[in-house]
Short mmCIF file of all heavy atoms in Angstrom, two decimals:
data_model
loop_
_atom_site.label_atom_id
_atom_site.label_comp_id
_atom_site.label_asym_id
_atom_site.label_seq_id
_atom_site.Cartn_x
_atom_site.Cartn_y
_atom_site.Cartn_z
N SER A 112 -81.56 23.80 -28.77
CA SER A 112 -82.30 22.56 -28.86
C SER A 112 -83.43 22.77 -29.97
O SER A 112 -83.95 21.80 -30.42
CB SER A 112 -82.81 22.13 -27.59
OG SER A 112 -84.02 22.89 -27.21
N ARG A 113 -83.79 24.07 -30.13
CA ARG A 113 -84.79 24.31 -31.11
C ARG A 113 -84.25 24.49 -32.55
O ARG A 113 -84.93 24.84 -33.46
CB ARG A 113 -85.54 25.67 -30.79
CG ARG A 113 -86.65 25.34 -29.67
CD ARG A 113 -87.00 26.63 -28.89
NE ARG A 113 -87.53 27.82 -29.75
CZ ARG A 113 -87.88 28.92 -29.11
NH1 ARG A 113 -87.96 29.16 -27.92
NH2 ARG A 113 -88.40 29.90 -29.96
N GLY A 114 -82.93 24.28 -32.57
CA GLY A 114 -82.25 24.38 -33.96
C GLY A 114 -81.47 25.49 -34.31
O GLY A 114 -80.89 25.61 -35.29
N HIS A 115 -81.35 26.43 -33.30
CA HIS A 115 -80.53 27.72 -33.63
C HIS A 115 -79.10 27.41 -33.19
O HIS A 115 -78.76 26.52 -32.37
CB HIS A 115 -81.15 28.86 -32.92
CG HIS A 115 -82.63 29.01 -33.18
ND1 HIS A 115 -83.02 29.46 -34.50
CD2 HIS A 115 -83.80 28.82 -32.52
CE1 HIS A 115 -84.28 29.54 -34.57
NE2 HIS A 115 -84.85 29.14 -33.43
N GLU A 116 -78.27 28.28 -33.75
CA GLU A 116 -76.79 28.14 -33.50
C GLU A 116 -76.41 29.30 -32.43
O GLU A 116 -76.69 30.45 -32.58
CB GLU A 116 -76.07 28.39 -34.82
CG GLU A 116 -74.61 28.28 -34.67
CD GLU A 116 -73.97 28.21 -36.11
OE1 GLU A 116 -74.15 27.16 -36.81
OE2 GLU A 116 -73.20 29.22 -36.35
N ILE A 117 -75.74 28.77 -31.34
CA ILE A 117 -75.22 29.62 -30.36
C ILE A 117 -73.64 29.54 -30.43
O ILE A 117 -73.10 28.48 -30.22
CB ILE A 117 -75.81 29.17 -28.96
CG1 ILE A 117 -77.26 29.04 -28.93
CG2 ILE A 117 -75.34 30.17 -27.89
CD1 ILE A 117 -78.04 30.17 -29.16
N MET A 118 -73.12 30.64 -30.52
CA MET A 118 -71.61 30.71 -30.64
C MET A 118 -70.99 31.84 -29.78
O MET A 118 -71.69 32.75 -29.27
CB MET A 118 -71.18 31.04 -32.15
CG MET A 118 -71.50 29.74 -33.02
SD MET A 118 -70.32 28.43 -32.66
CE MET A 118 -71.25 27.00 -32.96
N PRO A 119 -69.77 31.66 -29.46
CA PRO A 119 -69.19 32.62 -28.52
C PRO A 119 -68.83 34.06 -29.11
O PRO A 119 -68.41 34.13 -30.22
CB PRO A 119 -67.73 31.89 -28.20
CG PRO A 119 -67.47 30.90 -29.23
CD PRO A 119 -68.85 30.50 -29.80
N HIS A 120 -68.92 34.96 -28.23
CA HIS A 120 -68.72 36.41 -28.62
C HIS A 120 -67.93 37.05 -27.46
O HIS A 120 -68.20 38.09 -27.03
CB HIS A 120 -70.05 37.05 -28.76
CG HIS A 120 -70.05 38.59 -29.17
ND1 HIS A 120 -69.19 38.97 -30.20
CD2 HIS A 120 -70.74 39.62 -28.72
CE1 HIS A 120 -69.43 40.19 -30.40
NE2 HIS A 120 -70.19 40.71 -29.51
N GLY A 121 -67.01 36.27 -26.94
CA GLY A 121 -66.09 36.80 -25.95
C GLY A 121 -66.42 36.37 -24.54
O GLY A 121 -67.60 35.95 -24.22
N TYR A 122 -65.45 36.40 -23.75
CA TYR A 122 -65.69 36.11 -22.25
C TYR A 122 -66.29 37.30 -21.58
O TYR A 122 -67.29 37.10 -20.71
CB TYR A 122 -64.29 35.85 -21.57
CG TYR A 122 -64.48 35.30 -20.14
CD1 TYR A 122 -64.81 34.02 -19.80
CD2 TYR A 122 -64.02 36.20 -19.13
CE1 TYR A 122 -65.00 33.70 -18.48
CE2 TYR A 122 -64.09 35.75 -17.83
CZ TYR A 122 -64.60 34.59 -17.54
OH TYR A 122 -64.75 34.20 -16.18
N LYS A 123 -65.80 38.47 -21.84
CA LYS A 123 -66.53 39.71 -21.16
C LYS A 123 -66.56 40.90 -22.21
O LYS A 123 -66.74 41.98 -21.76
CB LYS A 123 -65.74 40.03 -19.96
CG LYS A 123 -64.19 40.41 -20.25
CD LYS A 123 -63.49 40.92 -18.96
CE LYS A 123 -62.07 41.44 -19.31
NZ LYS A 123 -61.33 41.97 -18.19
N HIS A 124 -66.51 40.61 -23.45
CA HIS A 124 -66.64 41.53 -24.52
C HIS A 124 -65.52 42.59 -24.51
O HIS A 124 -65.73 43.78 -24.64
CB HIS A 124 -68.00 42.26 -24.40
CG HIS A 124 -68.52 42.71 -25.77
ND1 HIS A 124 -68.05 43.97 -26.25
CD2 HIS A 124 -69.34 42.25 -26.67
CE1 HIS A 124 -68.65 44.20 -27.45
NE2 HIS A 124 -69.55 43.13 -27.70
N ALA A 125 -64.35 42.03 -24.29
CA ALA A 125 -63.11 43.01 -24.31
C ALA A 125 -62.76 43.24 -25.87
O ALA A 125 -62.94 42.36 -26.62
CB ALA A 125 -61.96 42.31 -23.62
#
Side-chain angles (χ1 to χ4, degrees):
S112 74
R113 281 160 56 178
H115 305 290
E116 183 168 291
I117 308 295
M118 285 291 149
H120 183 47
Y122 184 74
K123 59 177 187 178
H124 208 280

